[in-house]
Amino acid sequence: MPRTITFKGSSLTLIGRVLKGGTLAPDFRVVTQDLNESGLSDFAGKIKVITSFPSLDTPVCDLQVKEFNKRAAEFSADTVVLGISKDLPFAQKRFCQQNTIKNVSVMSDYKYSSFGINYGLLIKELNLLARAVVIVDKNNVLRYIRIAEELTIPLDYEAALVKLQEVIANPAAELPKDGLPAKCLPCEGGAVFLPKDAVEKRLTNYRGWQLIEDKKIVKEFTFSDFQDTKYFLDIICLIAREQGHHPNLTLIYNKLKVTLTTHSAGGLTENDFIMAKIIDEME
């Protein structure tokens, strides 16, 4: 079932990965006010409070950034606050200068929709970000994510701050034990393919993926029409680029077949299962 929020009572669809607390938070690419790229990896060793919103030109979003800016003044030096929207960097810079926003790093997801897709916060009908707050600890473990169910309603700041205090008390949670990194590893230097028994064992945790010729895993997705199929293909392409992966994608009207293999290894590697996991999180 699609995940939805509402805007003045009308239903909107959220697109992207469905993340759970306790998992590794994915990296993302956003644009700073000076038109440089930034992401989660730029804040290594910090507790990250990430707040997303549709647009600074709305009163609730305006208040949201100002509220986090005020409260962040009391946070410790190892806690950073990131504000992310699809406002253009020029508008964000003007807003921050006019309102003396010094404690929130406000950045834009306008170019790639990377944050929205990786955190399941992209609103399909509006191509804007949902209103949310995310807390990621020093080990990049996702500790909290809360999405406003109605786009025009402010966040529950007190609930987020209570959770932040819990994270500050335990700032580096134990890393997940699912055996997979959060990102594909570079193949340069000679990637080694997994033996068949290891592949078959892993596949038991991947619903709908089939092993082909002992070298590929394949899954087919069906949508209502060509437009939705193409939309999903575009999202996979963005994720694949970030992951440095090169899936084979075959689109036939309302069906998309995804084939994963690591060409340089001549078979399946851990990277293919990382990519399959991400695609399943978006399904």
Side-chain angles (χ1 to χ4, degrees), residues 62-113:
D62 177 301
L63 175 64
Q64 183 172 327
V65 176
K66 291 175 180 176
E67 185 69 19
F68 272 102
N69 184 65
K70 180 178 70 175
R71 294 177 182 247
E74 302 173 359
F75 297 165
S76 60
D78 59 353
T79 300
V80 295
V81 181
L82 314 179
I84 303 178
S85 72
K86 284 210 160 197
D87 295 292
L88 291 178
F90 316 107
Q92 292 179 340
K93 188 171 187 176
R94 182 175 62 250
F95 175 88
C96 291
Q97 289 175 341
Q98 291 176 346
N99 295 282
T100 319
I101 304 298
K102 296 182 178 180
N103 303 315
V104 178
S105 296
V106 180
M107 296 179 282
S108 179
D109 203 24
Y110 87 96
K111 191 173 184 179
Y112 305 113
S113 299

Side-chain angles (χ1 to χ4, degrees), residues 108-275:
S108 179
D109 203 24
Y110 87 96
K111 191 173 184 179
Y112 305 113
S113 299
S114 174
F115 175 77
I117 291 171
N118 276 296
Y119 285 76
L121 297 172
L122 180 63
I123 303 172
K124 181 181 180 182
E125 294 84 357
L126 302 178
N127 196 31
L128 297 173
L129 299 183
R131 191 179 314 285
V133 60
V134 177
I135 301 177
V136 178
D137 73 12
K138 292 184 178 182
N139 276 346
N140 281 346
V141 175
L142 180 65
R143 302 283 290 274
Y144 179 82
I145 182 167
R146 181 62 58 88
I147 305 170
E149 296 180 0
E150 164 58 46
L151 199 57
T152 61
I153 300 299
L155 293 169
D156 186 339
Y157 301 110
E158 299 306 325
L161 290 175
V162 167
K163 190 63 183 181
L164 176 59
Q165 291 305 315
E166 294 178 11
V167 176
I168 290 173
N170 178 24
E174 185 176 354
L175 295 173
K177 297 181 179 179
D178 60 8
L180 286 177
K183 186 174 183 178
C184 292
L185 302 175
C187 294
E188 292 84 355
V192 179
F193 66 85
L194 297 168
K196 184 178 180 180
D197 58 341
V199 169
E200 292 176 339
K201 183 177 180 180
R202 287 178 182 270
L203 272 180
T204 60
N205 298 317
Y206 289 77
R207 182 174 56 87
W209 291 92
Q210 295 181 330
L211 179 62
I212 305 296
E213 301 172 352
D214 295 339
K215 294 183 178 181
K216 308 171 184 176
I217 53 174
V218 177
K219 187 172 183 178
E220 187 172 274
F221 301 85
T222 302
F223 299 88
S224 59
D225 55 28
F226 174 82
Q227 184 175 350
D228 280 349
T229 312
K230 173 63 163 53
Y231 189 83
F232 190 57
L233 180 147
D234 289 340
I235 291 175
I236 291 178
C237 288
L238 182 140
I239 291 293
R241 179 185 175 188
E242 291 185 343
Q243 294 292 327
H245 203 288
H246 305 92
N248 294 326
L249 305 172
T250 305
L251 188 155
I252 302 176
Y253 183 56
N254 70 330
K255 296 183 185 298
L256 179 66
K257 184 170 74 171
V258 180
T259 303
L260 300 177
T261 190
T262 301
H263 302 286
S264 62
L268 290 160
T269 66
E270 192 173 67
N271 287 347
D272 299 300
F273 287 95
I274 294 171
M275 191 68 194

